[in-house]
Amino acid sequence: MNIAEVIRLVNTNRGNGKKENLNRMYLLMEKLGNPQKRLKFIHIAGTNGKGTTAAFIASILGETALKTGLFTSPHLEVINERIKIDQKNISDEAFILFTERVVSSVEEVELELSEKLYSFEILTAIALLYFAEQQCDMVILETGIGGRLDSTNIIQSPEVAAITSIGLDHMGMLGNTAEEIAKEKAGIIKSNSMVITCFLEGSLREIFERKATQEGASLLMINPKDIEVVSASMKGQIFRYKDFKKLKIRMIGEHQLSNASIAIEVAKALKNKGYNVTEQSIKVGLEKAFWAGRMEKLLEEPTVITDGAHNEQGVELLSKNLRTLFPDQKFTFVVGMMRDKGYMDMIEKVGDLASLFLTVSPDPGRGFDAETVASDLRDKGYLAQSKKQTSEVIHYIKNKARKNEIIVVFGSLYLVGDLRKQLIQ
């Protein structure tokens, strides 16, 4: 195999049949010798915030002697970003080698079950085999979609589980209400484990409390009253959390304080289990942590900010952060979303902040029609232009934008990654 063949296998829609259980994933892992049983895990689910929370935790553990694997999705620029050890991407050579080792077992499973494995299932297997063979001390494992039936959920009880947020996304797979989605996310809670979650109220809180009780797991919810913002700007944030008096993070947005607090509690849980995680490693790890494409400023003149907001909750957070950081400002929004999203409703959440919308499809097959969206926005009274490809957006930024213009890119991590790669190469 070569790396192009690997990418086609693990990053192309494949698979068939509605996923009703994890049997084919268990069968695949059994054929590979169950490498997941040789590993310790921090398992992370949530609608938004999984990646940044994972980055915070990985950075904290990077200040310890623990050899740490990190599995996340999607990627921004290269697929190797999804599988890391000690913050270093898997090499093309290792990616090819471990894919070749997994492929023969994939073929056996598909022949036996007369079903095709999904790409994410194959990628999960590659990552777990790689981490086990590299003898990682800890693996931070981010779910793809949901939790209960996610391919990562074949692991036994993790050292700690974290659930970052609950919002409406992937409704076709997870359910049409926040409660249905919460039940899917709560599926990563396992017996005799600890789970740390964002602050939840009402029926959502009850779902997690009930699941934790059923599994005999301990549940800790972040209390917003324990978080105090000291300062916030596009350069970063300083905040207090419980006994931690002066914590610094590079991540922008108030919601990142909740993600950082979850990471702190995960670190404290590991320390209580005997892992050598210190207060200093928590402080330094948080300050060093970085996760590209999340309220990230790429350029100064004009100011270009990229954010991966691609669902209702994410766009609401983006809107709130922009209003806080740039009061009374108007923005040029570069937006591209998948056509199965409720994109018009989401775009209008920032409508009153917009001086101009530039629409561009993030994917030729699955993305919305940029020209139609721009036309619809104009019909609603907004100033909007469509772009056929991202190179036209780059041309606007470099040649037409005013120096004091603030350009915000959102709607799809694929769009963010594409523009990011072209702007900072």
Side-chain angles (χ1 to χ4, degrees), residues 43 64 87 131 138 158 180 183 198 213 228 270 304 336 367 382:
H43 203 185
T64 73
Q87 308 282 34
F131 293 143
M138 184 66 63
E180 290 174 338
K183 289 176 183 177
C198 60
T213 300
E228 182 184 351
L270 292 178
V304 177
Y382 300 107

Side-chain angles (χ1 to χ4, degrees), residues 248-264:
K248 298 178 181 179
I249 60 172
R250 297 164 65 186
M251 310 287 194
I252 306 304
E254 189 177 331
H255 61 292
Q256 298 296 7
L257 303 182
S258 175
N259 294 333
S261 300
I262 289 174
I264 292 169

Side-chain angles (χ1 to χ4, degrees), residues 154-380:
I154 45 87
I155 66 170
Q156 297 170 315
S157 293
E159 296 296 278
V160 196
I163 299 171
T164 58
S165 65
I166 302 297
L168 298 177
D169 199 8
H170 302 294
M171 279 92 81
M173 299 180 187
L174 303 180
N176 295 314
T177 67
E179 287 76 14
E180 290 174 338
I181 291 171
K183 289 176 183 177
E184 293 297 316
K185 308 287 186 189
I188 70 167
I189 300 175
K190 293 187 171 65
S191 61
N192 302 313
S193 64
M194 180 176 188
V195 60
I196 298 159
T197 76
C198 60
F199 182 70
L200 297 167
E201 296 181 289
S203 59
L204 300 183
R205 187 186 190 103
E206 291 173 6
I207 287 167
F208 282 92
E209 289 177 339
R210 190 182 312 119
K211 179 65 174 177
T213 300
Q214 289 171 353
E215 296 292 341
S218 58
L219 176 66
L220 186 155
M221 275 185 196
I222 299 298
N223 188 339
K225 293 180 180 178
D226 291 328
I227 302 171
E228 182 184 351
V229 181
V230 177
S231 66
S233 71
M234 282 304 297
K235 293 182 179 179
Q237 302 183 82
I238 299 174
F239 71 106
R240 300 186 183 98
Y241 178 71
K242 291 185 175 178
D243 295 332
F244 292 87
K245 300 303 181 187
K246 193 176 182 181
L247 296 165
K248 298 178 181 179
I249 60 172
R250 297 164 65 186
M251 310 287 194
I252 306 304
E254 189 177 331
H255 61 292
Q256 298 296 7
L257 303 182
S258 175
N259 294 333
S261 300
I262 289 174
I264 292 169
E265 293 295 352
V266 168
K268 288 166 63 178
L270 292 178
K271 181 180 180 180
N272 291 339
K273 283 177 169 280
Y275 291 94
N276 187 26
V277 180
T278 65
E279 182 174 315
Q280 182 68 6
S281 62
I282 292 173
K283 285 185 175 180
V284 174
L286 288 178
E287 188 168 358
K288 286 183 178 180
F290 174 69
W291 200 237
R294 280 71 173 182
M295 284 298 290
E296 180 187 10
K297 184 164 74 171
L298 299 183
L299 295 179
E300 283 283 357
E301 293 184 343
T303 298
V304 177
I305 299 167
T306 59
D307 190 72
H310 62 279
N311 53 41
E312 184 175 330
Q313 184 183 56
V315 177
E316 286 175 351
L317 289 170
L318 172 63
S319 174
K320 181 180 179 182
N321 289 328
L322 291 175
R323 294 171 200 275
T324 300
L325 293 165
F326 302 98
D328 303 318
Q329 289 276 0
K330 293 289 186 179
F331 305 88
T332 295
F333 288 103
V334 178
V335 58
M337 292 187 173
M338 298 305 177
R339 63 171 176 263
D340 61 349
K341 301 279 186 179
Y343 49 80
M344 287 304 296
D345 287 342
M346 284 190 273
I347 293 170
E348 288 199 271
K349 289 183 182 297
V350 296
D352 64 311
L353 297 176
S355 59
L356 171 66
F357 284 107
L358 300 178
T359 62
V360 60
S361 177
D363 183 276
R366 297 184 297 142
F368 66 23
D369 183 273
E371 190 172 341
T372 300
V373 175
S375 177
D376 290 345
L377 286 169
R378 287 192 294 270
D379 289 344
K380 290 176 178 287

Side-chain angles (χ1 to χ4, degrees), residues 38-39 67 85 94 98 129-137:
R38 311 202 303 267
L39 295 165
K67 187 174 186 179
I85 293 179
F98 282 88
L129 184 60
Y130 175 64
F131 293 143
E133 300 260 330
Q134 296 298 308
Q135 299 182 331
C136 288
D137 299 309

